[in-house]
Amino acid sequence: MDLQKQTAPAGSELRASDAERDRIADILHDALAEGRITADEHAERVDGVLRAKTVGELEVFIRDLPAAHRQAPAPAPYRPTAGAIPMDPDDNVVAIFSGAVRKGRRRAGRRIHAYAIFGSVEIDLSEALFDHQQVVIKSFAVFGSVDIRVPENVSLRGMGGGVLGSFEVDTLDSGDPEAPVVYVDGWAVLGSVEARPRRGRFVADILDRVQRKVDKSLRKHLDH
């Protein structure tokens, strides 16, 4: 059966991301381990997954497997909950004819304002601790750039636009209804705002490391 020639379901015209290809490949690997497909079928389907361009083309390769019929979690809303985000920022990141960076192990506030005017701002949340489920990054780039990175297992939404500039946000759906949602808003005027995941960085991994350090410190305290 030539799976690649089957018609994709309607409404699946969106371009596939690397994370979505990885998810389908993992499902196929599990199906092979469970004996649901043969090694030859696995190789054929994985090859098709790597060449697929849309979400609909990807779904073809698993639609005869149980994983394709499990109820998918509801996607994160495309706007923050009304009243959930304060109007005043927790952090202002300003670069005027200069550069400004926020990165490393730090707590992500609910609202971050970034201003790049003939300068560059980098906001890297890939190691951040999320105390809140919804985070808004309001970004303004005027002849400058705002570059945003997030863990790949959060949801990411874009709400801004560009005026003779580039405003690009990679839409992500975590699949976990409790995962943080990062909303990137604002404008790029003769500049650029870009937000995308940093591959290999996960919120859970970071929180686990923090908990292990806390447990270790607590044990040392109790031993004394």
Side-chain angles (χ1 to χ4, degrees), residues 106-109 125-133 135 150-151 154 180-182 203 207:
R106 59 200 314 275
R107 297 191 179 279
L125 300 179
S126 63
E127 294 186 11
L129 301 176
F130 288 84
D131 291 330
H132 310 283
Q133 189 180 22
V135 174
V150 300
V154 305
V181 185
V182 178
V203 172
L207 294 179

Side-chain angles (χ1 to χ4, degrees), residues 12-28:
S12 301
E13 308 290 334
L14 293 176
R15 301 286 289 193
S17 68
D18 288 339
E20 286 162 334
R21 291 188 185 88
D22 291 343
R23 179 180 68 86
I24 300 298
D26 288 342
I27 291 173
L28 292 174

Side-chain angles (χ1 to χ4, degrees), residues 13-109:
E13 308 290 334
L14 293 176
R15 301 286 289 193
S17 68
D18 288 339
E20 286 162 334
R21 291 188 185 88
D22 291 343
R23 179 180 68 86
I24 300 298
D26 288 342
I27 291 173
L28 292 174
H29 179 76
D30 292 342
L32 174 63
E34 294 166 359
R36 298 184 187 275
I37 59 176
T38 67
D40 288 342
E41 288 173 322
H42 177 264
E44 176 191 353
R45 296 188 188 201
V46 168
D47 180 63
V49 166
L50 295 175
R51 291 189 282 118
K53 290 184 169 41
T54 68
V55 173
E57 290 173 356
L58 286 177
E59 295 297 332
V60 165
F61 296 102
I62 62 166
R63 68 184 182 187
D64 60 345
L65 299 174
H69 302 281
R70 294 174 191 150
Q71 186 174 5
Y78 279 83
R79 296 281 174 181
T81 304
I85 307 297
M87 296 303 296
D88 295 329
D90 299 300
D91 190 13
N92 280 307
V93 191
V94 181
I96 302 175
F97 289 98
S98 63
V101 177
R102 295 289 189 276
K103 63 190 301 185
R105 187 73 52 80
R106 59 200 314 275
R107 297 191 179 279

Side-chain angles (χ1 to χ4, degrees), residues 116-201:
I117 303 172
F118 290 95
S120 64
V121 168
E122 178 186 353
I123 299 175
D124 188 343
L125 300 179
S126 63
E127 294 186 11
L129 301 176
F130 288 84
D131 291 330
H132 310 283
Q133 189 180 22
Q134 297 183 337
V135 174
V136 169
I137 303 178
K138 193 85 171 181
S139 306
F140 299 95
V142 181
F143 289 97
S145 64
V146 177
D147 189 28
I148 299 164
R149 295 294 178 270
V150 300
E152 66 172 285
N153 62 335
V154 305
S155 292
L156 181 61
R157 297 285 185 264
M159 305 186 297
V163 178
L164 299 178
S166 171
F167 190 100
E168 297 184 3
V169 176
D170 288 354
T171 298
L172 292 178
D173 276 305
S174 133
D176 179 357
E178 301 299 323
V181 185
V182 178
Y183 296 93
V184 180
D185 196 1
W187 290 92
V189 181
L190 292 167
S192 67
V193 174
E194 181 182 89
R196 63 177 186 264
R198 188 173 292 284
R199 298 301 177 190
R201 295 299 180 95

